[in-house]
Amino acid sequence: MLKHTDHFHGSDLEKIEKVYGIKKEDITSFSANVNPLGISPRLRAALIDKIDCITSYPDRDYTSLRQCIAAYTGSVPENLVVGNGSTELISLLIQLERPKKAMILGPTYSEYEREISLGGGVSLYYPLPEQADFQLDPQDLCAHLNESLDLLVICNPNNPTSTAIPQKAMRQILDVCRQYHICVMVDETYVEFAEHVEDISSVSLTHDYKNLVILRGVSKFFASPGLRLGYAVTGNQDLLRRVNTRKNPWTINSLAAAAGELMFSDTEYIQRTRDLIGQERTRCFQALEALPHIKAYAPTANFVLVKLQKEGVDANVLFDHAIRQGLMIRNCSTFPFLDHHFIRFCFMMPEQNHALLNCLAHLL
């Protein structure tokens, strides 16, 4: 297992408040990767009207919720299972598969490795090459796959590199994994922020590949991490039966289920989000490319990975400089294969992004 170090996470505002003496309400978090629009006005109003739903148990099968998610993703309700955030489903699926040996594309989210380890498995990392701007060579990855592997884990778009694997390349990977009986888990937490979702998402591939499981949630795109609503899509009916047999009933509370039924059909909010992130992603990346002493990697999701190249300025220095201005970025030395020269930040509202870009320019 690779060694991971600890730094402030996007949800650690209370810790920062204590260490720096800055009220958490005065901190703009560029670290949490959450939609800066917040929850939609339509959802807020609807939840107030539906508050009485908490007086009843939710539907054990979440039939209406799964129908809404299916319509949103282009899947079918029979291929969907919902959970208490995608984290619960990652844990549950790994517990059921019990991989003895897994491969993870890295650098990436550490929870995959943790869950595999808790089940007694071993994780190998396939490193996305920095010299290729962290873009995957699918042929090279396929050459590293073999019958000793039980599970392949891919975050797409990947956190923290913001790179993505197109659907055509994913088919190539899935074909080889099927040959070796490798289950493929694809975390699509950030795919909805991509400019062309249909070219990256693997949801449609679940009709053809029974060794594929897609994971998503509402924390980032729908700005609702507190709802703890996630879902998985797979065409493997045997796996779905085992998940539904193993999972606890009513893991989604009534209010979260009602919210889910509303948010996936909120087309105005969805389009506003995509327009905002698309515009700010382009503007911020162009501004970063014009700054000296850094390298910014072309982003696909709602965040960007940056390498600091100025003598005496590393992620710790920049974090401290930014947080004293109420701007919180992510020190990426916690991720495998990245060191203290890498930072990540998400795209917020235009004036907030402008403040962070000015902060970077001042130090660099």
Side-chain angles (χ1 to χ4, degrees), residues 105-353:
L105 269 63
T108 197
Y109 181 49
S110 63
E111 190 65 22
Y112 314 130
E113 180 187 347
R114 176 181 175 275
E115 289 295 338
I116 291 164
S117 175
L118 287 174
V122 175
S123 297
L124 305 176
Y125 275 89
Y126 176 88
L128 297 169
E130 181 184 344
Q131 63 271 24
D133 291 349
F134 299 103
Q135 297 289 339
L136 175 70
D137 179 346
Q139 289 186 328
D140 186 70
L141 171 63
C142 288
H144 286 78
L145 301 173
N146 56 62
E147 62 277 354
S148 73
L149 295 170
D150 305 304
L151 177 68
L152 175 65
V153 182
I154 301 172
C155 185
N156 194 40
N158 185 46
N159 173 25
T161 62
S162 204
T163 51
I165 303 170
Q167 191 183 101
K168 183 178 179 181
M170 194 67 78
R171 276 190 178 274
Q172 182 181 350
I173 296 166
L174 286 164
D175 283 335
V176 175
C177 286
R178 183 162 56 185
Q179 176 186 341
Y180 291 123
H181 305 289
I182 301 170
C183 178
V184 182
M185 179 183 292
V186 180
D187 186 343
E188 290 193 347
T189 294
Y190 298 103
V191 76
E192 292 143 292
F193 290 108
E195 183 177 5
H196 301 292
V197 178
E198 65 282 356
D199 294 338
I200 298 172
S201 176
S202 297
V203 168
S204 64
L205 302 184
T206 58
H207 300 293
D208 302 324
Y209 296 92
K210 305 308 178 190
N211 61 328
L212 172 63
V213 181
I214 309 296
L215 293 159
R216 288 193 189 177
V218 303
S219 296
K220 308 301 184 180
F221 189 83
F222 290 98
S224 304
L227 275 180
R228 307 312 307 141
L229 172 59
Y231 57 97
V233 188
T234 182
N236 188 328
Q237 295 303 312
D238 177 64
L239 177 60
L240 283 171
R241 279 191 292 271
R242 288 191 290 141
V243 168
N244 284 316
T245 299
R246 179 73 176 268
K247 72 191 292 285
N248 293 323
W250 305 302
T251 55
I252 307 299
N253 66 64
S254 298
L255 207 57
E261 293 175 24
L262 290 163
M263 61 176 51
F264 294 112
S265 61
D266 194 345
T267 54
E268 181 181 351
Y269 175 85
I270 291 167
Q271 193 57 53
R272 280 183 63 211
T273 298
R274 289 181 175 159
D275 288 345
L276 172 66
I277 298 301
Q279 292 164 8
E280 289 304 293
R281 178 169 52 223
T282 299
R283 184 178 73 86
C284 290
F285 182 62
Q286 290 174 347
L288 289 168
E289 287 191 304
L291 288 177
H293 308 302
I294 68 166
K295 177 175 176 57
Y297 300 91
T300 301
N302 64 322
F303 54 86
V304 61
L305 180 69
V306 174
K307 185 174 185 179
L308 304 171
Q309 298 175 321
K310 183 176 181 179
E311 186 72 26
V313 177
D314 63 11
N316 292 319
V317 171
L318 183 53
F319 181 93
D320 187 77
H321 178 72
I323 198 63
R324 294 182 187 281
Q325 298 177 48
L327 309 172
M328 181 181 176
I329 60 170
R330 179 65 188 271
N331 180 334
C332 286
S333 60
T334 55
F335 291 94
F337 311 117
L338 300 183
D339 60 22
H340 60 281
H341 293 103
F342 288 90
I343 64 164
R344 185 203 71 199
F345 62 87
C346 65
F347 308 116
M348 301 292 284
M349 299 303 287
E351 61 274 14
Q352 295 169 324
N353 294 333

